[in-house]
Amino acid sequence: MAILPIYLYGTDILKKKARAVDGVDSSIIKLMVDLAQTMRKANGIGLAATQVGDMRQMLVVDQTAIERAARDEEEEEDAPLPSEVKTLVMINPFVVDEEGTISLEEGCLSIPELRAEVNRAERIRVKFRDDNFDEKELTAEGFLGRVILHEIDHLNGILFVDRIGKTRKTFLNSELKRIKKGEVDTSYPVVTALEV
Ligand SMILES: [Zn+2]
């Protein structure tokens, strides 16, 4: 098990497409565990393998954090907190159907401290392989759907700042340049564009 450094905005690897995985072996299991650990260490709610420089199509989502956020939104304060930590693992995920559009604020562990509103589908149906490499299908909306779409984008070499309007991106340019130059302070290990 290991905490892996996260590649930051400006590194070429984040623009590359990941390749499909053809089965679960010990190196895939290690990647699952490392991704989940790295995500939690960095206080993220989702992490794609691309972000740690591994070009296999895998992502993890912190389901516990998502359930907690949904609970806060509904103000169901009496509802019990999830007692176990649950991680959703998706291998070779792809969207088979989507509906509606919604604008929500996003952030990204590869683009620290920067947030922006992004338009994406409101409800999605995704096919993927789970941690046993069994075929699965999931319908997701709200926060969960959003996180899955953001992470699938990573596997295709797309960042959330690629999905915002040109004008809005201009406002973020100086911040993006700062990250590119490695002028960031994160609580987790990173690889900046200067180091690769
Ligand atoms: Zn991200």
Side-chain angles (χ1 to χ4, degrees), residues 3 14 19 22 27 43 64-65 68 70 80 90 94 98 104 110 114 117 125 148-149 157 189:
I3 303 291
L14 292 176
R19 59 174 194 275
D22 54 17
S27 89
N43 282 320
T64 315
R68 192 177 297 133
M90 290 185 161
F94 62 99
E98 51 181 51
L104 289 173
S110 294
L114 210 148
E117 295 259 331
R125 208 167 79 234
I148 292 171
L149 285 175

Side-chain angles (χ1 to χ4, degrees), residues 5-18 47-55 108-112 151-162 179 191-193 196:
I6 294 176
Y7 282 70
L8 293 191
Y9 178 83
T11 53
D12 282 343
I13 210 146
L14 292 176
K15 293 182 195 161
K16 291 184 179 154
K17 280 192 175 200
L47 188 66
T50 324
Q51 290 178 277
V52 297
D54 192 305
M55 300 319 288
C108 179
L109 293 175
S110 294
I111 313 174
E151 301 308 333
I152 288 179
D153 258 2
H154 274 302
L155 299 179
N156 289 312
I158 301 165
L159 299 173
F160 82 83
V161 290
D162 299 328
I179 297 170
V191 179
T192 70
V196 287

Side-chain angles (χ1 to χ4, degrees), residues 67-190:
E67 284 170 23
R68 192 177 297 133
R71 200 188 72 119
D72 289 348
E73 206 157 90
E74 288 165 21
E75 289 174 15
E76 287 176 22
E77 281 169 18
D78 297 336
L81 274 173
S83 55
E84 47 166 346
V85 173
K86 283 188 282 183
T87 307
L88 174 66
V89 178
M90 290 185 161
I91 298 171
N92 303 342
F94 62 99
V95 177
V96 288
D97 199 14
E98 51 181 51
E99 240 176 65
T101 311
I102 188 169
S103 177
L104 289 173
E105 197 181 59
E106 292 185 27
C108 179
L109 293 175
S110 294
I111 313 174
E113 292 166 20
L114 210 148
R115 305 186 69 82
E117 295 259 331
V118 186
N119 283 319
R120 294 188 193 267
E122 195 170 5
R123 176 198 284 261
I124 53 168
R125 208 167 79 234
V126 190
K127 280 190 179 178
F128 61 101
R129 300 276 184 157
D130 68 3
D131 49 2
N132 288 313
F133 213 64
D134 292 331
E135 270 190 66
K136 287 280 156 76
E137 203 173 305
L138 174 76
T139 300
E141 56 191 340
F143 198 21
L144 177 61
R146 177 53 58 120
V147 176
I148 292 171
L149 285 175
H150 176 114
E151 301 308 333
I152 288 179
D153 258 2
H154 274 302
L155 299 179
N156 289 312
I158 301 165
L159 299 173
F160 82 83
V161 290
D162 299 328
R163 290 201 181 271
I164 61 176
K166 245 188 174 171
T167 322
R168 271 194 288 173
K169 199 173 173 183
T170 310
F171 285 112
L172 303 179
N173 261 340
S174 61
E175 299 288 301
L176 290 172
K177 272 189 192 150
R178 194 173 49 80
I179 297 170
K180 226 172 184 170
K181 282 194 272 179
E183 292 166 8
V184 278
D185 189 18
T186 55
S187 61
Y188 46 93
V190 295

